[in-house]
């Protein structure tokens, strides 16, 4: 899977003054809107565009103006001028080494840009978090690990290792590789693919839930035999067994597998219909990401079913979920025509969640009726509140 491009070469789409602002103006890059110094850009200029969630390298002088922001690029609201700015555009002339790169080139590694939150880096890494076993040790011995001496030891790698000898678990922490034949879950941002707004076709609109991506699958081992391998994965790694340490306090992936009896259900679907591979993917929510929906129990909301390599359409997915007692992500509209402008679609993402109406939603995901094309629309208000 391609890593997310946090920095890319783009052209300036438009420039607009901000009422009452003398030194800054608004510019458009793809479908993104951000502020720039007045006069810095004119339409069609080439720029380096750095997305929200990025951290720029301290070592590069050209980013020194970001020092007070800890070199991080976030969603910003300029209340005074009633504008929201997302991302950072810099003139290509400051980056002579990138001058001849074409529009669209990913320059994340050239510029040494990384994810700003360590949590994102770890969550998205294909390796097991080397700190996960220490974290879960502390969680298992909550009271003890409040002790100041222990707390101090936990600050040092050597201290953590010693404590682990006494309090660590002997559980395995050898994850397996994410199976190559399963597509990892991912969604493009509408701001990076604004051409979708020209679509005249209807879309299925679902609520985007903010949790952790879960994948469950059965894989027929031998043609004609009803023997299957069962697979449980997080976003990027296969969770070898129930005891595997993962990024969260407990192994939510196996917990949800048990809660919904997923292994047996997927086997039944495969056997009854003579399928070889059945994959079900959903968002695990609850005690992850800071429990934004304030749920008492972890839960799974399905958004993908893939049968023998083909993602089935939404109607069939809903039907199978009903039949096998899975929850789907909240389905808002199954015949939705997209608004024509970026501002309209951005505004509709703001609002409250179907699974807890007291809490703001993260946004929406839109899919075509065949379940092939899709994109996400993350609420700017949600990002502002979550400081990213
Ligand atoms: P980044 O933008 O940094 O790549 P990310 O890879 O974590 O972030 P998200 O922003 O979380 O991606 O968006 C894609 C993810 O959204 C999917 O992988 C899936 O786990 C999750 N998701 C939540 N709700 C839905 C939904 N209704 N439909 C599809 N995916 C959903
Ligand atoms: Mn995410």
């Amino acid at each position: 899977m391609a890593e997310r491009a946090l920095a890319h070469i783009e052209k300036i789409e438009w420039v607009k003054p901000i009422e009452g602002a003398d030194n800054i103006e608004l510019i458009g890059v793809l479908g993104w809107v951000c502020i720039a110094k007045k006069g810095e850009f004119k339409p069609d200029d080439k720029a380096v565009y750095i997305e929200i969630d990025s951290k720029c390298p301290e070592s590069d002088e050209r980013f020194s103006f970001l020092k007070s922001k800890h070199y991080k690029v976030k969603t910003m609201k300029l209340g005074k001028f009633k504008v929201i700015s997302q991302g950072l555009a810099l003139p290509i002339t400051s980056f002579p080494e990138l001058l001849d790169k074409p529009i669209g080139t990913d320059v994340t590694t050239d510029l040494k840009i990384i994810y700003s939150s360590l949590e994102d880096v770890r969550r998205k890494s294909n390796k097991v978090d080397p700190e996960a076993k220490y974290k879960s040790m502390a969680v298992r011995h909550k009271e003890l690990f409040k002790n100041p001496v222990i707390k101090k030891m936990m600050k040092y790698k050597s201290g953590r290792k010693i404590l682990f000898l006494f309090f660590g678990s002997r559980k395995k922490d050898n994850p397996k590789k994410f199976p190559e034949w399963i597509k990892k879950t991912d969604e493009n941002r509408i701001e990076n693919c604004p051409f979708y707004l020209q679509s005249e076709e209807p879309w299925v609109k679902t609520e985007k839930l903010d949790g952790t991506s879960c994948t469950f699958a059965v894989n027929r081992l031998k043609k004609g035999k009803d023997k299957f391998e069962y697979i449980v994965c997080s976003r990027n790694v296969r969770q070898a067994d129930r005891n595997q340490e993962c990024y969260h306090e407990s192994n939510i992936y196996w917990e949800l597998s048990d809660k919904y009896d997923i292994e047996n259900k997927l086997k039944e679907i495969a056997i009854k219909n003579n399928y070889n591979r059945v994959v079900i993917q959903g968002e695990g929510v609850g005690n992850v990401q800071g429990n934004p929906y304030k749920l008492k129990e972890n839960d799974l909301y399905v958004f993908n079913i893939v049968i023998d390599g083909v993602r089935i359409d939404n109607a069939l997915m809903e039907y199978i979920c009903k039949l096998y007692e899975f929850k789907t992500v909240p389905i808002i509209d199954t015949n939705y025509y997209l608004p024509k402008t970026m501002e309209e679609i951005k505004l509709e993402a703001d609002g409250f969640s179907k699974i807890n109406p007291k809490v703001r939603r993260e946004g929406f995901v839109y899919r075509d009726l065949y379940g092939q094309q899709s994109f996400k629309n993350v609420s700017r208000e949600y990002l502002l509140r979550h400081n990213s």
Side-chain angles (χ1 to χ4, degrees), residues 108-348:
T108 312
T109 34
D110 305 72
L111 293 179
K112 302 194 173 66
I113 310 262
I114 56 172
Y115 269 110
S116 63
S117 101
L118 219 83
E119 193 171 321
D120 272 345
V121 176
R122 285 190 183 153
R123 193 163 49 89
K124 285 167 191 162
S125 134
N126 297 316
K127 293 179 223 81
V128 144
D129 177 3
E131 294 295 317
K133 61 181 185 187
Y134 301 123
K135 193 174 157 183
S136 76
M137 161 174 76
V139 170
R140 275 197 307 274
H141 303 276
K142 259 203 187 93
E143 284 310 308
L144 180 67
F145 279 73
K146 282 183 191 154
N147 177 307
V149 177
I150 304 256
K151 265 176 133 172
K152 186 141 193 212
M153 283 178 79
M154 281 295 280
K155 288 209 175 112
Y156 302 95
K157 176 113 210 185
S158 54
R160 289 196 289 276
K161 277 190 169 163
I162 292 170
L163 287 170
F164 194 80
L165 289 177
F166 292 94
F167 305 108
S169 78
R170 305 278 170 267
K171 288 172 180 174
K172 274 187 272 173
D173 57 18
N174 50 337
K176 298 189 201 161
K177 254 184 69 198
F178 196 98
E180 255 146 54
W181 56 272
I182 303 179
K183 224 173 133 202
K184 292 181 181 176
T185 65
D186 204 14
E187 297 296 339
N188 289 325
R189 287 163 196 267
I190 184 62
E191 291 90 339
N192 284 333
C193 39
F195 52 86
Y196 280 128
L197 294 180
Q198 285 153 33
S199 143
E200 307 279 348
E201 306 295 317
W203 294 73
V204 177
K205 177 160 118 185
T206 63
E207 182 179 326
K208 184 175 191 307
L209 299 177
D210 190 9
T212 188
S213 169
C214 303
T215 293
F216 309 92
V218 290
N219 182 23
R220 192 184 291 273
L221 288 171
K222 215 172 178 184
K223 246 193 164 155
K225 285 248 163 70
D226 286 342
K227 274 212 156 250
F228 297 87
E229 166 191 35
Y230 180 54
I231 295 160
V232 176
C233 302
S234 58
R235 162 78 184 249
N236 283 318
V237 296
R238 180 167 173 189
Q239 304 288 315
D241 60 42
R242 280 178 176 68
N243 292 325
Q244 188 186 308
E245 310 285 8
C246 65
Y247 187 73
H248 312 289
E249 284 194 16
S250 57
N251 198 304
I252 179 176
Y253 312 99
W254 276 98
E255 243 172 71
L256 291 172
S257 170
D258 291 341
K259 175 168 176 168
Y260 284 98
D261 193 20
I262 300 181
E263 180 169 2
N264 286 322
K265 288 180 185 174
L266 295 191
K267 278 183 185 160
E268 192 180 314
I269 296 172
I271 292 169
K272 275 199 170 152
N273 303 284
N274 201 26
Y275 300 142
N276 292 321
R277 289 168 163 174
V278 182
V279 180
I280 186 162
Q281 298 179 305
E283 198 73 355
V285 292
N287 200 14
V288 288
Q289 301 282 85
N291 198 359
Y293 307 100
K294 303 180 172 57
L295 302 181
K296 296 211 170 67
E297 225 183 88
N298 289 342
D299 214 343
L300 178 70
Y301 290 88
V302 173
F303 51 74
N304 277 344
I305 295 181
V306 184
I307 292 173
D308 290 337
V310 181
R311 177 158 87 186
I312 62 174
D313 64 66
N314 183 71
L316 193 52
M317 177 190 84
E318 244 190 301
Y319 175 79
I320 294 179
C321 285
K322 230 177 229 139
L323 201 61
Y324 286 91
E325 296 180 308
F326 288 116
K327 292 180 184 165
T328 67
V329 288
I331 296 168
I332 309 297
D333 198 327
T334 55
N335 195 40
Y336 185 70
Y337 290 87
L338 302 178
K340 286 284 161 258
T341 67
M342 187 60 69
E343 188 57 18
E344 282 170 283
I345 201 165
K346 290 317 297 173
L347 285 173
E348 79 171 24

Side-chain angles (χ1 to χ4, degrees), residues 13-14 28-33 86 190-194 342 346:
E13 290 292 329
W14 49 261
V29 178
L30 294 164
W32 297 98
V33 177
Q86 294 189 289
I190 184 62
E191 291 90 339
N192 284 333
C193 39
M342 187 60 69
K346 290 317 297 173

